Amino acid sequence: PRRRAAARRDDRRPGAGHLAGAGLLAELGHRFVEEAEAVGATLAGTGVELKILRMDTKQHPSEEFAKEAAIEAMKVIETFQPDVVHVQHTLRIGVEALTEIRHTCPSTPIVYTLHEFLLICYSRGIMLRRGTDDRCSEATPWRCHQCFPERSAEEFVLRERFIKAQLDSVDLFLAPSRYLQEQYVDWGISRDKIRFHDYGRKIPLPTSAESADTRRFVFLGQTMRHKGLLVLLQAMKILIDRGQEDLTLFIDGANMDFDGDEYVKEVKHKLGQCEGRALLRGPYTIDEIPGRLADAGWVVVPSIWWENSPLVIQEAVMHRRPVICGDIGGMAEKVDHGVSGLHFRAGDPVHLADTLAEAAGNDELWARLRQGIPEILSLEDALSELEGIYYELIRKKSGVPVG
């Protein structure tokens, strides 16, 4: 069948889902037109029709954006009548869009990539208890009510039933980590309807030197609370208090303001306690990542939430930098302790400090772990695998035997 693609851009706070979807489209030979509000194009020689919807969320309140985005998405799907609909997210268009897609295209396979636990967890999908930041392992109606006392347990029962009813329209779910896959199976998605499919990345030309300053560490990505920046700064303060002052931490990222002014003040206070050994360098572009990583020997991923398949770890792998991360969830899955990186007890600043101290200046350990870093799934191979999934689903829907 001729391939067709529909994409919705939302640049408010790009995360893993946004970047993964953008990468897939780019590999299909599409170039995003950054300044256009809406672009339609037929790509000569590729057999792919492309429709990009781009909405400036700064100009659209959330509810208005959601309504307009959902309407526009349905128009595109109805017009294109695609062979497959691959949903990267329902955030701000509503999970009910899945049922609308099914009504619009009754025989079209629907694929849904799960990027976090938003369908399970009402608290931004991060599975952390409100007020304590303790990790939550199960989203029961009563536990959700405890986090959101303004909503009854009965409301959370109805929420789960409603979401699962919409998910019935999906033919196949894709999970970028086996940890996330198992969490959704435990939540109720049938095991035969969910498959592991990791993010693919465009493999860069080698840019990282064979050696690095192993007394330097870098934090990359979102600087929000659940990403564990406070834990990392506490660990740095512990090391300074121990007299280990020859270390440097670079903090590269954005969106700290998302968690409010008090959180920003807390981060700045802890930065001050680090006496210039922790440097906040701010946002970066994808093209700047090699330069940011070249300044340090280690990448630290101190998230206090479970994580799924952190793109930051992929960036470290691509540039041959060992990762120091928490021992839980998608982080622990992607980093083999003692082989390609190091684990510490997630959320424990003392154990993180001990782990940083073990790594700092240890060139022999760094070289050994660097040798153990695995190859990453290329974007080309990921796309090939994805196309195979599409054709498999199309054959199943059309009644053609698959084998």
Side-chain angles (χ1 to χ4, degrees):
R2 184 162 77 170
R3 295 177 293 177
R4 294 162 176 168
R8 178 179 66 83
R9 295 292 307 279
D10 173 8
D11 295 323
R12 181 181 296 190
R13 296 180 187 273
H18 172 101
L19 294 173
L24 287 172
L25 282 174
E27 183 54 31
L28 284 170
H30 308 339
R31 177 176 297 179
F32 283 130
V33 181
E34 294 294 341
E35 300 303 322
E37 288 297 324
V39 177
T42 300
L43 302 170
T46 67
V48 179
E49 291 180 44
L50 172 67
K51 177 73 173 180
I52 298 177
L53 303 177
R54 183 179 187 277
M55 297 184 182
D56 184 354
T57 54
K58 294 178 182 178
Q59 303 298 321
H60 294 76
S62 184
E63 289 187 11
E64 179 185 344
F65 173 84
K67 182 178 179 180
E68 187 173 350
I71 291 172
E72 289 300 317
M74 288 306 116
K75 284 181 181 178
V76 170
I77 290 171
E78 185 173 7
T79 300
F80 273 38
Q81 286 297 307
D83 302 302
V84 175
V85 175
H86 190 161
V87 178
Q88 291 287 336
H89 228 304
T90 55
L91 184 65
R92 287 192 281 277
I93 63 171
V95 70
E96 59 269 29
L98 299 170
T99 301
E100 291 296 321
I101 294 170
R102 174 56 65 228
H103 290 162
T104 304
C105 306
S107 60
T108 298
I110 299 174
V111 181
Y112 189 169
T113 296
L114 301 165
H115 295 289
E116 72 315 85
F117 307 103
L118 195 62
L119 299 175
I120 299 174
C121 174
Y122 188 66
S123 185
R124 294 192 286 162
I126 57 177
M127 299 293 287
L128 293 177
R129 303 284 282 168
R130 287 183 84 195
T132 66
D133 284 339
D134 292 337
R135 283 182 292 278
C136 181
S137 58
E138 185 182 17
T140 65
W142 178 250
R143 286 174 65 81
C144 293
H145 165 67
Q146 289 176 324
C147 281
F148 295 90
E150 68 275 15
R151 296 189 177 277
S152 67
E154 289 75 16
E155 287 182 84
F156 286 107
V157 171
L158 294 175
R159 176 185 183 272
E160 181 176 334
R161 288 178 180 174
F162 175 78
I163 290 174
K164 288 181 175 178
Q166 312 310 309
L167 297 184
D168 285 342
S169 296
V170 177
D171 293 277
L172 182 67
F173 297 91
L174 299 180
S177 72
R178 290 181 174 83
Y179 173 78
L180 181 135
Q181 179 183 16
E182 291 304 312
Q183 295 307 301
Y184 272 98
V185 169
D186 289 346
W187 185 63
I189 290 180
S190 175
R191 188 175 292 278
D192 61 5
K193 286 188 67 174
I194 186 169
R195 189 178 302 183
F196 169 71
H197 175 73
D198 204 355
Y199 298 133
R201 301 299 297 273
K202 197 74 174 177
I203 307 299
L205 294 173
T207 56
S208 298
E210 293 294 322
S211 61
D213 189 339
T214 56
R215 296 166 302 173
R216 291 183 168 189
F217 304 86
V218 63
F219 170 102
L220 286 173
Q222 306 277 9
T223 53
M224 293 180 281
R225 182 182 292 275
H226 62 284
K227 292 296 185 176
L229 181 55
L230 292 177
V231 175
L232 179 53
L233 291 174
Q234 285 177 274
M236 285 294 292
K237 175 64 163 56
I238 290 169
L239 291 174
I240 292 170
D241 289 344
R242 290 176 181 174
Q244 193 161 356
E245 298 179 350
D246 59 342
L247 310 180
T248 302
L249 169 66
F250 299 110
I251 301 168
D252 299 315
N255 296 326
M256 189 184 302
D257 61 309
F258 187 80
D259 281 322
D261 292 341
E262 288 304 312
Y263 171 67
V264 174
K265 290 178 182 177
E266 192 173 1
V267 170
K268 289 181 177 179
H269 174 68
K270 292 192 180 301
L271 277 169
Q273 291 181 323
C274 291
E275 301 174 5
R277 307 314 303 171
L279 306 175
L280 183 61
R281 298 194 293 191
Y284 56 89
T285 65
I286 291 177
D287 292 338
E288 292 174 323
I289 290 175
R292 301 287 178 110
L293 290 176
D295 291 336
W298 307 89
V299 174
V300 187
V301 183
S303 296
I304 60 174
W305 80 295
W306 301 98
E307 287 286 1
N308 168 26
S309 180
L311 295 188
V312 169
I313 291 179
Q314 288 192 333
E315 297 289 356
V317 168
M318 287 192 293
H319 295 283
R320 318 306 293 172
R321 288 293 184 261
V323 172
I324 298 172
C325 71
D327 59 351
I328 58 171
M331 294 180 288
E333 177 181 326
K334 302 297 180 180
V335 177
D336 194 353
H337 178 63
V339 176
S340 62
L342 299 172
H343 293 174
F344 68 93
R345 284 191 297 273
D348 184 341
V350 175
H351 196 231
L352 175 53
D354 293 341
T355 306
L356 296 179
E358 177 188 0
N362 193 335
D363 295 345
E364 182 180 345
L365 174 64
W366 183 86
R368 178 169 61 80
L369 295 177
R370 189 173 187 270
Q371 288 297 316
I373 294 174
E375 295 299 320
I376 200 167
L377 178 68
S378 73
L379 194 53
E380 294 86 351
D381 288 345
L383 182 60
S384 178
E385 182 180 325
L386 194 57
E387 287 182 324
I389 291 171
Y390 291 163
Y391 280 104
E392 176 189 331
L393 291 172
I394 290 169
R395 289 195 296 270
K396 282 183 178 180
K397 282 286 188 177
S398 62
V400 177
V402 178

